[in-house]
Amino acid sequence: MSILILGLILFLGVHSARIFAEDWRTQTIARVGEKRWKGIYTLISLAGFALIIWGFGFARQQPVVWWTPPTGLRHLNALFTLVAFILIAAAYVPRNQIKAKLHHPMILGVKLWAFGHLLATRTLADTILFGAFLVWAILAFRAARQRDRAQGITYPAGTLGGTLTTVVAGGVIWAVFAFWLHALLIGIAPLGR
């Protein structure tokens, strides 16, 4: 479990600079340069992500089971993750109405993904992993909205075409992940086979 926690600290810690240390981040980028900052940021993120995967794999070998969620929560999680994939796609597809309205759809997608998985999973490792991402997403979204207000940032209006592309792309990627990749990469078939 300690490897999982260390991975979360590294990964979410580096992703929390804009939540807790915006001024320090800005000063550090000015001092070391943007490319170097991004390089260090990427290395720490990758190390943290690798430790999360490794630690979670170890924790799954001897799980501490909290409870057995009802089947309905697994179905609810499938719906939440579908919406989460659409929200994440909205962060990348240009000029969609979802991003125009929500401003930070990727963070909201992480929040929904983490919340759904907290409901549908049953072990201590699940709670630590998804709980940490949920807390991070709540704080990150609040900080991002505060930055937007302070800087007077506005988002361009979305188009119907951009929105439809977002929904279709998110839905297709979700289906591929839910029906095939989740079992292949994580070892769990969330929708059965």
Side-chain angles (χ1 to χ4, degrees):
M1 197 71 68
S2 58
I3 295 170
L4 171 62
I5 293 169
L6 176 60
L8 287 167
I9 289 168
L10 288 175
F11 186 83
L12 295 177
V14 76
H15 283 82
S16 296
R18 298 201 81 185
I19 300 170
F20 299 110
E22 179 74 23
D23 292 339
W24 172 84
R25 177 185 174 274
T26 304
Q27 292 167 2
T28 303
I29 291 171
R31 191 175 69 250
V32 303
E34 189 170 357
K35 284 186 179 181
R36 195 169 189 194
W37 168 264
K38 286 182 177 180
I40 294 167
Y41 183 95
T42 300
L43 287 175
I44 294 171
S45 295
L46 290 173
F49 190 65
L51 289 171
I52 289 169
I53 292 169
W54 189 28
F56 192 68
F58 275 138
R60 286 177 54 196
Q61 292 175 8
Q62 296 178 333
V64 177
V65 177
W66 291 114
W67 73 310
T68 301
T71 304
L73 290 181
R74 193 173 83 194
H75 299 300
L76 183 61
N77 184 38
L79 176 62
F80 283 174
T81 55
L82 170 60
V83 175
F85 271 79
I86 292 168
L87 289 169
I88 292 168
Y92 295 101
V93 175
R95 307 225 9 136
N96 67 79
Q97 294 167 333
I98 297 168
K99 185 170 185 173
K101 177 78 172 164
L102 301 176
H103 304 171
H104 301 281
M106 178 175 282
I107 299 171
L108 290 174
V110 171
K111 189 188 298 189
L112 199 54
W113 165 82
F115 180 66
H117 279 74
L118 269 176
L119 293 177
T121 56
R122 59 194 196 111
T123 70
L124 175 61
D126 296 325
T127 303
I128 291 170
L129 176 66
F130 301 118
F133 272 93
L134 179 59
V135 169
W136 172 84
I138 290 167
L139 295 173
F141 187 75
R142 187 185 78 190
R145 293 301 293 256
Q146 288 172 344
R147 268 193 317 276
D148 286 354
R149 283 191 293 275
Q151 297 170 7
I153 294 175
T154 58
Y155 290 83
T159 63
L160 181 59
T163 305
L164 291 175
T165 301
T166 299
V167 171
V168 169
V172 167
I173 295 168
W174 170 83
V176 169
F177 197 80
F179 287 103
W180 295 286
L181 289 181
H182 200 282
L184 180 68
L185 300 174
I186 297 156
I188 298 170
L191 300 177
R193 286 195 188 204

